[in-house]
Amino acid sequence: AQSVTQLDSQVPVFEEAPVELRCNYSSSVSVYLFWYVQYPNQGLQLLLKYLSGSTLVKGINGFEAEFNKSQTSFHLRKPSVHISDTAEYFCAVSPLSASKIIFGSGTRLSIRP
Amino acid sequence: EAGVAQSPRYKIIEKRQSVAFWCNPISGHATLYWYQQILGQGPKLLIQFQNNGVVDDSQLPKDRFSAERLKGVDSTLKIQPAKLEDSAVYLCASSLAEGSNSGNTIYFGEGSWLTVV
């Protein structure tokens, strides 16, 4: 079975400051890793994904994430946030052998001007 | 390319009434999912279809929830009778068939927001 832990339910940051949203996962099999973003009153949108290869993955809107197999982590980072980044961010895993995807509980990113 | 379409976007019903949600996945996507997202939580898988067959419905409350995908394209999720705790966003999603090069990327619709009063 797989599980995802997002360590922070809320992260407040000032505009133009860097941010890191933490994600740890547990799985007995190899997995794909994802970050999704959910803007207010909207569905989920894929930010980035790790399938294989380079452990540093770049996504849309200037976000990137680094896969760390030894620490079973997939933290999301952005060097300088904008007001428009205010949203809920979900980390997710999917076992290679199946199409199902398991989500974490989400981290709400709030940007202060 | 058109995304995953869902309707209605918003629905308010009284407890013990019934409601149905409709989903049209991305063209060519064989796998269709229904997720339930309760406020403040991550999405929880209710049911997964591969074409018109059920792959996983282990978390579907079958005494009140039902879903079908008769022709392997559109899908309908029904709740009858609804309870207060069913208030949530119901997200439909789709992906290419298992083992595709998409790496299991799942594309979501905008959701159907249900309030049970």
Side-chain angles (χ1 to χ4, degrees), chain B:
Chain B
E1 180 183 83
V4 177
Q6 291 189 245
S7 68
R9 285 294 314 277
Y10 305 95
K11 191 75 176 178
I12 301 174
I13 62 173
E14 295 183 349
K15 59 183 178 183
R16 292 187 290 274
Q17 286 187 325
S18 63
V19 63
F21 301 114
W22 172 84
C23 172
N24 181 242
I26 293 173
S27 178
H29 281 195
T31 307
L32 185 147
Y33 314 79
W34 283 102
Y35 282 85
Q36 179 193 57
Q37 186 181 15
I38 293 172
L39 187 65
Q41 299 180 20
K44 182 186 80 173
L45 179 68
L46 291 176
I47 189 166
Q48 177 183 342
F49 292 96
Q50 182 74 14
N51 296 308
N52 59 352
V54 176
V55 174
D56 183 351
D57 64 356
S58 56
Q59 298 196 80
L60 186 74
K62 298 180 184 64
D63 58 333
R64 298 183 300 106
F65 286 64
S66 65
E68 59 183 14
R69 194 184 184 200
L70 293 176
K71 296 181 179 179
V73 180
D74 294 5
S75 177
T76 304
L77 176 70
K78 296 180 181 177
I79 307 174
Q80 182 179 17
K83 292 185 175 181
L84 296 177
E85 58 262 35
D86 298 332
S87 294
V89 181
Y90 291 86
L91 296 164
C92 181
S94 69
S95 68
L96 292 170
E98 287 187 43
S100 74
N101 291 332
S102 70
N104 298 342
T105 300
I106 297 177
Y107 300 87
F108 286 82
E110 292 191 318
S112 292
W113 300 67
L114 174 66
T115 301
V116 182
V117 298

Side-chain angles (χ1 to χ4, degrees), chain A residues 34-37 44-49 60, chain B residues 105-107:
Chain A
F34 305 83
W35 275 98
Y36 281 83
V37 59
L44 278 73
Q45 179 183 357
L46 181 67
L47 262 182
L48 50 78
K49 61 183 177 182
I60 61 171
Chain B
T105 300
I106 297 177
Y107 300 87

Side-chain angles (χ1 to χ4, degrees), chain A residues 27-67:
Chain A
S27 178
S28 56
V29 300
S30 295
V31 294
Y32 296 130
L33 295 155
F34 305 83
W35 275 98
Y36 281 83
V37 59
Q38 187 174 35
Y39 297 105
N41 299 321
Q42 294 186 26
L44 278 73
Q45 179 183 357
L46 181 67
L47 262 182
L48 50 78
K49 61 183 177 182
Y50 172 78
L51 305 181
S52 64
S54 173
T55 57
L56 183 63
V57 181
K58 294 189 184 297
I60 61 171
N61 302 340
F63 284 92
E64 63 180 32
E66 185 155 20
F67 169 54

Side-chain angles (χ1 to χ4, degrees), chain A residues 7-26:
Chain A
L7 299 166
D8 305 298
S9 60
Q10 295 189 56
V11 173
V13 295
F14 286 104
E15 193 172 17
E16 298 183 7
V19 69
E20 178 180 82
L21 306 183
R22 297 180 293 169
C23 172
N24 287 89
Y25 70 94
S26 172

